[in-house]
Amino acid sequence: MTEYTIEFVGTGETITCSDKETILSRCLEEGIAQEYSCRVGMCLACSAEIIEGEVTQPAARGFTEEEAEAYALTCMARPQSDLKLERGKYPPSIESDLEAGSADGGDTAAADD
């Protein structure tokens, strides 16, 4: 088991996380207020942009392959290196869906979490 350091950009929060546990589970253990809902890689509430480093997240079904290279679903993602993450960031395709949902008064999964 290897331990990695995860820094959350803009918050001053840093945790250590093994390659055998999810980033979300470690955040919850450390008392960090990471958003989440489904915990199975579908709702995207726990999304974070990967600023630096690598994760493995084979069960992150809510992202395309391209999105999974730049974003982490913290409920599924396990670190493969030290990381810098920016929480609450969504891929451009999701951001445009959120804006469209807000513009027409529709509900979105992220807003319901």
Side-chain angles (χ1 to χ4, degrees):
M1 178 170 60
T2 305
E3 294 275 329
Y4 296 107
T5 299
I6 301 170
E7 176 187 338
F8 296 102
V9 176
T11 69
E13 297 168 314
T14 301
I15 61 172
T16 58
C17 184
S18 83
D19 58 351
K20 303 294 184 204
E21 61 188 332
T22 67
I23 296 166
L24 175 61
S25 67
R26 193 70 188 134
C27 285
L28 296 175
E29 288 174 13
E30 292 292 323
I32 292 177
Q34 171 65 45
E35 289 188 44
Y36 70 94
S37 185
C38 73
R39 295 185 83 159
V40 294
M42 293 297 293
C43 76
L44 308 179
C46 67
S47 181
E49 184 175 6
I50 302 170
I51 305 300
E52 190 177 293
E54 294 182 25
V55 300
T56 184
Q57 52 186 349
R61 297 178 295 267
F63 285 153
T64 66
E65 285 184 39
E66 294 81 26
E67 291 169 342
E69 292 178 19
Y71 295 86
L73 289 177
T74 61
C75 70
M76 295 282 109
R78 290 170 166 71
Q80 299 299 293
S81 69
D82 289 339
L83 292 168
K84 287 186 181 180
L85 299 178
E86 188 167 357
R87 292 192 310 237
K89 293 292 183 173
Y90 305 93
S93 62
I94 303 304
E95 284 291 345
S96 62
D97 287 349
L98 291 175
E99 290 169 10
S102 297
D104 67 10
D107 290 334
T108 63
D112 291 338
D113 294 335

